[in-house]
Every structure is written in structure tokens, then in C-alpha cells.
Amino acid sequence: MTQGHEQYSGTINDFISKITTWYEENHDDFRKLYDEAIAHVVPCPVEKSDPVYFDWQKGNIDTLCRFFRDWYNWESGVKDGLTYIEKFSWLNYENQHGMYFVTSGPGREMTADFTHLQGVQMDSEDSKPLIKKWIEELGPKRMDDYKVEDWQNFNAFFIREIKEGRRPVEAKDDPTVVVAPADCVINMIVDELGELTRIPVKNVTMNVGQLLDESVYAGKFIGGTAVSCILMPDSYHWYHAPVAGEVVEARDDIGGAYYGIRNFPDLLDNGDVGYGYDYADFIDFRRGYLIIKTLYLDASGGPAGEGYVAQVPVGLNSIASVNFLPKFKGELPVPVDKGERIGNFMYGGSLNILLFEKGRFPAVQLLQGQRIGVLEDDPEKTATRFPRSRHTQQRRPGPLAP
């Protein structure tokens, strides 16, 4: 479900009627901005036979309305969970005018409204048939990890819970060990975080102050490390504390864009999810953050002072819900155990960004025998989750269109 004060449509027909009227009346320059986005659409870089192909060139308001109606009526499954998101992304792919349209003004209101409609749809009993479809596609081996419940709607299933003991927390009593906050694909993003200027490292940039919405703790992470933990749509969608300590600050209400990842297909590029991607995009997405004060130990295991780790859950395309448990929405500070549940995302794609202080997290490190991945049983299924590279090297575009 979305957050904020936007006026939402009650049905998909209401939504289609509204954006049609906006276009006809040029509400807040809706027609002008949409037409400019269409005028600057680049050719769709995938083959017509590709399931994610969609040609926005020479599109009109009918194209937009038909697309949203088809998207709303689709019967989503695991294999095609990202299909419509990627089809929509071609509208703003390497297109500054498209980016401006979907991330600001009436275009942002439009995407907020549609995201809300999808949330209501996934919260309704009408979404229950999707549960059976997903269970069949995930298969009994993967579903065996989860508690079986009488899920009343798809979102209840989407945030299904893991069985006790299926995700043991590594070195629970050792505060120096950092654990994965979710079932995710992990990449180092930046190892020299800048304060005001965006310092590029491997074609990625990040402004810590903006990401943490100018938190008083933002300065703690200057010169430090950022790590991305990307959750795919079929992942377990609760996120947990990566370290133990106490939560000294927490917010789950930072507004932002609903769509407009500048090059969404590159985020999934060739299975190397998130590597080399420009995470500055996510500063503008709806998100939350926690600041955890934790203990550092010296070589003998004794205390070596206290420090901070930040956890930033970000709702990507088709997600606008960053839901913290009540414990982290009340009076702070509160203690938190390593591996303790913090909150969840509902339907769509999402990620957690972890921030560490300078010199405290040099690399992702594993001990012999720990899990590094899973061998998939179906190469075709893997291809649908991690598309092969279709694009040129990520380029940082100039400023968005005025």
C-alpha cells in the first residue's frame, strides 16, 4: 500500500478515466510532459520476441491506458513477476524526459495512484488464486522453508514467514559478525562514501546525507562502505537486523518516487544483480532507515568502542510500502538482536542498503562451508529472473529535463 496524501482512484476504470481527462485537459502539464516523454523514447533494445519487449515510440494516451489496464488485469506468476515493470521502464530508459514524467508532478501522482490500486488488489480476497499459482511455480522444495497458513490475500502470502530454524543466525553472540538482512543478492556498492559531492566508484554514486534524509547520524558514514542487498520478487520479504545493538533512530515514512529507475534492466544485468549500478537513483525512492549503535571488539575479544551501522530499506518499482514493526516506530532507543525482524515489503522488487563506518567493513567475507548461492534446476527459469546483458555500459546522464 502507498503512503502519503495523494487522491487515489477506487477502480481501474476510475484510474483510466482520470488520466484520460488529465491528458485531454492538460492537467498540470500532464499532456505536455507525457508527449515529451514519448517524443524522446529510444528504440526498445530487446527483440520483439522477448517477453519484456514494449514499443513506446509513437505512443499516445490510448497506449498508456491500455498498458495500465493490461498490467492491472495480468495473472502474475513467479516467472513473469518483473515483466510489466520492465516493459514500463522502456518509457524512461535513457530518456531524461521520460524520467521527469514518471518521477514528478502529475506523472508521479499517476504512478502513485496505480501502485495504490495494485496494493488494494493484492490485499483483496480476489488475489487468492495468485497464491496457488506462485506456490506451484516455487515448487515444494522452496515452499518447504515457509510456514503454511490460510493466507487470505496475495500480500499476506507475499510476506509469508520462514519456519523456525530455517535461517539460523551466524555467530549470534559475536558482535563483529555481520549477517545478511534478508534473502538477497549482495554487492559492494561504494567503498568511499562522499559527504556532499558524489564520488564515483565503479560507475556508482551515492550521497549519504540525502539517502538518510539528512539524519544527524549521516556524518558517521562518510568515508565508509555501502552494501546492496537486493530482494527478488520471489524472495522471503522480511528484513532483519544485520548486527546487534540498539536502534537509536528509525523512520519508515520517507516519501519519494514510485517508478523511474533510470535503467531498470541494468539492475538485473546478466545475473550480476546491482553490480556497477548507479544507486543514486534510490535516494529519490520511497524508503526508510534505521541507525543501529553496535559494539566493536579488539583482537582479544574485548570492547574497542561503539560505532554505527545504518540499514536503509528501499521500495522499488511497484512497491511503496516500507513496513517497520511497532517496536521500531515508538520511543527510541530500543535494543535489537542480530537477526531480529525489523519489517517487510509487500509485492514488487526491493532492496536493503547497509552503510558502515570508515574502515569497518572492507569486504563481504565468508567462512568455508557457508552458503554462497544455489544451483538452479531450470536454466530457463534462471534466464527469466536474471536477463542476459542487452545494454551498453551504464552511463550517468545529465540533469533531468526541466
Side-chain angles (χ1 to χ4, degrees):
M1 300 291 288
T2 56
Q3 307 163 11
H5 306 287
E6 299 85 352
Q7 183 63 47
Y8 298 133
S9 302
T11 67
I12 186 62
N13 289 335
D14 293 340
F15 173 78
I16 296 301
S17 177
K18 179 167 75 172
I19 64 174
T20 300
T21 300
W22 282 5
Y23 187 84
E24 292 171 349
E25 299 178 356
N26 197 27
H27 166 73
D28 285 349
D29 284 338
F30 182 83
R31 181 175 64 240
K32 176 177 179 290
L33 295 173
Y34 175 64
D35 286 351
E36 286 179 347
I38 291 295
H40 292 86
V41 165
V42 302
C44 188
V46 301
E47 298 293 334
K48 289 185 177 181
S49 59
D50 194 306
V52 302
Y53 176 86
F54 194 88
D55 185 6
W56 287 98
Q57 290 185 305
K58 299 181 181 180
N60 54 31
I61 187 60
D62 290 336
T63 307
L64 188 65
C65 290
R66 284 196 306 271
F67 182 85
F68 277 122
R69 190 179 293 280
D70 289 345
W71 192 349
Y72 184 82
N73 291 329
W74 72 322
E75 296 183 0
S76 171
V78 175
K79 293 182 180 179
D80 56 359
L82 296 172
T83 300
Y84 271 84
I85 295 173
E86 195 160 352
K87 285 182 175 182
F88 188 65
S89 76
W90 303 129
L91 179 60
N92 55 271
Y93 175 71
E94 296 190 355
N95 178 359
Q96 296 177 38
H97 292 270
M99 280 290 296
Y100 191 77
F101 172 66
V102 300
T103 60
S104 61
R108 179 194 174 280
E109 292 181 45
M110 174 191 72
T111 57
D113 196 351
F114 186 71
T115 300
H116 177 263
L117 271 178
Q118 285 189 313
V120 171
Q121 183 185 36
M122 296 302 181
D123 280 341
S124 74
E125 288 193 7
D126 292 342
S127 65
K128 289 185 73 172
L130 296 180
I131 298 174
K132 181 178 179 181
K133 184 174 183 178
W134 276 59
I135 288 174
E136 290 174 350
E137 291 190 19
L138 288 170
K141 181 177 180 295
R142 291 187 66 184
M143 282 303 302
D144 188 52
D145 275 351
Y146 299 99
K147 298 177 182 178
V148 176
E149 302 177 29
D150 182 19
W151 298 290
Q152 294 303 301
N153 56 60
F154 181 80
N155 262 335
F157 165 77
F158 193 71
I159 57 170
R160 58 198 178 275
E161 296 187 16
I162 292 287
K163 291 178 181 176
E164 295 295 329
R166 293 300 174 93
R167 298 293 186 275
V169 178
E170 180 76 17
K172 193 158 180 115
D173 297 326
D174 184 348
T176 65
V177 174
V178 179
V179 300
D183 286 8
C184 56
V185 178
I186 292 181
N187 278 291
M188 304 292 285
I189 306 174
V190 178
D191 53 14
E192 190 179 351
L193 295 172
E195 181 175 6
L196 296 176
T197 58
R198 291 174 173 172
I199 301 175
V201 180
K202 291 183 292 191
N203 293 316
V204 291
T205 57
M206 184 174 292
N207 182 315
V208 181
Q210 291 174 330
L211 190 68
L212 296 178
D213 204 39
E214 308 304 332
S215 164
V216 296
Y217 291 95
K220 300 287 186 183
F221 306 103
I222 301 303
T225 305
V227 176
S228 76
C229 306
I230 300 178
L231 289 72
M232 301 304 288
D234 57 347
S235 299
Y236 167 63
H237 259 71
W238 285 86
Y239 43 92
H240 299 238
V243 295
E246 62 178 11
V247 176
V248 295
E249 186 175 359
R251 288 184 58 192
D252 65 352
D253 61 347
I254 303 174
Y258 296 80
Y259 289 82
I261 296 179
R262 195 177 303 273
N263 284 309
F264 179 76
D266 287 348
L267 182 64
L268 309 178
D269 192 24
N270 200 27
D272 201 359
V273 180
Y275 184 80
Y277 193 81
D278 188 343
Y279 280 79
D281 280 351
F282 303 130
I283 291 170
D284 299 319
F285 269 74
R286 302 176 79 82
R287 63 195 185 280
Y289 69 81
L290 293 96
I291 309 295
I292 302 174
K293 183 167 71 173
T294 191
L295 181 67
Y296 294 134
L297 301 182
D298 60 23
S300 64
E306 294 176 328
Y308 297 88
V309 174
Q311 181 172 6
V312 185
V314 182
L316 303 187
N317 291 0
S318 82
I319 279 190
S321 58
V322 176
N323 307 307
F324 284 4
L325 292 174
K327 172 180 177 179
F328 305 105
K329 300 173 66 128
E331 186 176 346
L332 301 176
V334 294
V336 64
D337 292 329
K338 185 192 305 182
E340 182 176 345
R341 289 199 307 180
I342 300 295
N344 62 52
F345 299 107
M346 292 192 181
Y347 180 68
S350 47
L351 75 145
N352 269 232
I353 296 174
L354 303 182
L355 304 177
F356 300 92
E357 294 176 291
K358 184 175 182 178
R360 295 295 186 177
F361 196 85
V364 175
Q365 304 169 63
L366 297 171
L367 296 178
Q368 182 274 321
Q370 292 183 306
R371 172 174 170 155
I372 61 172
V374 174
L375 298 175
E376 295 284 1
D377 61 335
D378 183 356
E380 291 186 6
K381 179 174 68 178
T382 302
T384 63
R385 295 177 62 196
F386 303 114
R388 290 208 172 269
S389 177
R390 313 180 182 99
H391 316 296
T392 57
Q393 177 66 31
Q394 170 86 8
R395 299 191 301 274
R396 179 66 181 172
L400 296 181

